[in-house]
Amino acid sequence: MQERQRRAFDAAMEAARCAYARQDWSRAFAQLERAHILGQRRVGAHTLTHWWMLKVGWQRRDGREMRGQGLRLLAALLMSRLWVPTGNTGGANVNPLQPMPIPDALRDVMEER
């Protein structure tokens, strides 16, 4: 992961942790989706975002999210270096194999320079 992308990933994760501490589950999850897009090609970063999504699912008592994140955690560990669907936000509300458009706010950060 290039430096700009790493900084953006770290900032999104920090924002997610802060929102989680405030019990602002919607904001935490939105930041985790951002972090997921930024970090999904790196095993550690990808796995970390799914772990935190699982934690948010637990706090929300959202069984679908918890089940989905359990499967995605395993897939992140096994598949991140081989193939990931670019732009996928990582939540259980989206198909885990579906590529998605990269949001404009992240596109510039993710471009190699």
Side-chain angles (χ1 to χ4, degrees):
M1 187 182 315
Q2 61 162 307
E3 184 59 29
R4 288 178 62 220
Q5 193 170 342
R6 166 60 67 188
R7 284 194 313 266
F9 172 82
D10 291 344
M13 286 303 300
E14 181 60 25
R17 287 182 185 104
C18 288
Y20 185 92
R22 291 189 314 271
Q23 298 181 1
D24 185 348
W25 314 128
S26 294
R27 176 78 174 145
F29 203 85
Q31 289 297 315
L32 291 168
E33 289 175 317
R34 179 180 175 89
H36 182 270
I37 293 167
L38 291 162
Q40 71 184 128
R41 294 200 180 274
R42 303 291 295 192
V43 175
H46 193 186
T47 304
L48 182 64
T49 59
H50 285 298
W51 171 248
W52 277 88
M53 287 178 171
L54 176 64
K55 289 176 59 164
V56 171
W58 176 265
Q59 292 298 330
R60 289 178 167 172
R61 303 300 187 251
D62 183 340
R64 179 177 180 222
E65 193 65 50
M66 289 185 286
R67 284 187 303 280
Q69 292 308 323
L71 295 171
R72 285 164 174 80
L73 266 168
L74 181 59
L77 286 168
L78 299 175
M79 298 297 293
S80 295
R81 289 186 184 232
L82 301 175
W83 180 81
V84 293
T86 302
N88 189 289
T89 56
N93 63 327
V94 298
N95 180 326
L97 304 177
Q98 179 66 45
M100 299 169 77
I102 296 172
D104 291 339
L106 299 181
R107 191 173 297 119
D108 185 51
V109 173
M110 294 180 69
E111 288 177 357
E112 295 291 331
R113 293 189 185 260

